[in-house]
Amino acid sequence: MKDTLLLCCSHQQMAEGTRFLSAVTLPCERQRQTAGKQGSSCTSGAEGKSSVYSNKEVCPMGGGATRLYSTLTQALSSSSPLPLPPSHLDTHQPADTNLDPDLCQEQRGSAVCPLDPVELLQECEEALRDRPARFHRKFINLNDGDSAPSSPIRVMQWNILAQALGEGLDNFVQCPLEALSWSRRKYLILEEILTYRPHILCLQEVDHYYDTFQPVLAGLGYSSNFCPKPWSPCLDVEGNNGPDGCALFFDQSRFELLDSMNIRLSAMRIPTNQVAVVTLLRCRSTARCMCVTVTHLKARSGWEWLRSAQGSDLLRHLQNLVQKHAGSPTADPSSDIPLIICGDFNAIPAEEVYRRFITSPLSLDSAYKKLSQDGLTEPEYTTWKIRPTGECCATLDYIWYSRDKLRVDAVLEIPTEEQIGPNRLPSFSYPSDHLSLVCDFSFKEKE
């Protein structure tokens, strides 16, 4: 969530933009010139995550973000964008990747990771034996007395907190530094994933994809795709592990890959720093297709209009994809392929981007509303943290689904305030400032 708007431009226009940035209240960072990592971005301090305080006041942004964007847009609109440096969009594993020595062993020149999820979970629990008790969360069954589906599709959405940002920029004032160490957090993250064993796993702020998550989860039967942010703020942190981004994993025993693409989201046709991974899958047991997306929209208050534009751009891409695979450009966008869209939207339900999704012709609904008594209200929070500016408690994360084609069978409950504790998140018990969201889905019968 700690990312910035990037406008591609000619070298001359970039220089003009840089001169402008030096004159506004948002300070410009030094240009990075490191091997394989090029480019620049502008941040405001640690660029805190968009949320609301516990008294429901919106966190202040501080700075003329809209004026900045408007001025740069006028300066840059006269010519075509300059392509990104290839290093930022290369999703292939770097040749010099050092695999996690605790979780992957080198044998005969290739990585061999634990294949038994029970054994790996036990390994995580053993590594965490001195930590406080983990959150115990129950699944709420939504079948109203009907028998549970024989083979539900389990989906997990989670912003896992980029390691470089957790240690370097986020300023979780009530969280001990030891609790933020990667040697501890990697086990907590894997424990959470292995406890719920999703068939589809959607993650944001992933900056240990190649050395940890991809090899470990591949050993457990997951295939995956990763899309880094073009200009990740992780690269500003000394000793970083590379850019953070979105990653989508799916269980190969349950799904067959049909198509996948990485999207750089735009606003008013101008590329931004936010991305999405879109994957078209076929369920092996039912032969039915579904389209799954993971995204992470712009952080911080003051950028609500940009999140709305990014959300609209994502919906446009998904509608085009569904129509393409439905076989007709004029097909009803909700007529064929079910959608699941997971993300940290950095937006409370009152924001315009939320309304755009709920009123979309794609017939989307938010799965976690099912936890409320009326079925219409989002949880009180999906993130809860304390920073120097105050306590932030808000719902920013969602699992959207095609309500006409998919049924929500079960939803993992949200931990209570007592479980989370007075120091909030992250903590020795929980590795991220965002809670994981987990739902069981099944296909509705075709009419």
Side-chain angles (χ1 to χ4, degrees), residues 256-275:
E256 173 191 1
L257 176 65
L258 299 181
D259 196 6
S260 183
M261 63 178 176
N262 292 347
I263 299 172
R264 185 179 178 189
L265 299 176
S266 296
M268 298 185 294
R269 302 194 179 191
I270 298 175
T272 70
N273 194 40
Q274 281 62 52
V275 299

Side-chain angles (χ1 to χ4, degrees), residues 167-223:
E167 286 189 306
L169 294 176
D170 267 345
N171 293 323
F172 299 115
V173 295
Q174 296 296 328
C175 182
L177 286 177
E178 183 184 353
L180 292 170
S181 68
W182 183 240
S183 61
R184 174 178 294 269
R185 289 187 65 241
K186 64 185 179 184
Y187 288 111
L188 285 167
I189 294 170
L190 287 172
E191 180 189 49
E192 184 84 351
I193 295 169
L194 291 165
T195 296
Y196 301 114
R197 294 296 309 279
H199 300 106
I200 296 170
L201 173 62
C202 296
L203 302 178
Q204 299 86 34
E205 293 200 24
V206 178
D207 63 346
H208 277 271
Y209 176 78
Y210 293 111
D211 65 336
T212 302
F213 294 111
Q214 190 278 330
V216 171
L217 294 176
L220 295 171
Y222 288 89
S223 181

Side-chain angles (χ1 to χ4, degrees), residues 307-420:
R307 287 190 284 274
S308 179
Q310 291 173 336
S312 296
D313 188 48
L314 178 58
L315 290 170
R316 179 181 60 82
H317 279 288
L318 294 175
Q319 183 166 329
N320 290 342
L321 180 69
V322 169
Q323 290 175 343
K324 168 188 170 184
H325 285 277
S328 170
T330 59
D332 183 343
S334 64
S335 64
D336 188 42
I337 301 175
L339 296 171
I340 291 179
I341 307 167
C342 297
D344 174 357
F345 278 60
N346 276 308
I348 60 174
E351 275 199 33
E352 177 63 26
V353 65
Y354 184 95
R355 291 192 292 271
R356 286 186 181 275
F357 271 69
I358 209 73
T359 60
S360 165
L362 293 169
S363 300
L364 301 172
D365 205 356
S366 174
Y368 259 74
K369 292 195 303 183
K370 299 285 187 179
L371 282 181
S372 65
Q373 291 185 346
D374 60 7
L376 301 173
T377 308
E378 295 288 353
E380 185 179 353
Y381 51 83
T382 61
T383 180
W384 202 340
K385 72 208 81 178
I386 301 175
R387 287 204 174 97
T389 52
E391 186 166 352
C392 294
C393 176
T395 293
L396 305 177
D397 309 271
Y398 306 94
I399 298 178
W400 297 93
Y401 70 102
S402 297
R403 59 177 177 264
D404 296 333
K405 299 298 175 183
L406 295 172
R407 179 175 58 246
V408 184
D409 299 309
V411 179
L412 185 66
E413 67 182 0
I414 298 292
T416 64
E417 179 178 357
E418 182 180 6
Q419 286 178 298
I420 291 174

Side-chain angles (χ1 to χ4, degrees), residues 115-127:
L115 297 178
D116 186 337
V118 175
E119 290 182 4
L120 182 55
L121 179 57
Q122 291 172 347
E123 181 182 339
C124 292
E125 292 171 343
E126 174 63 22

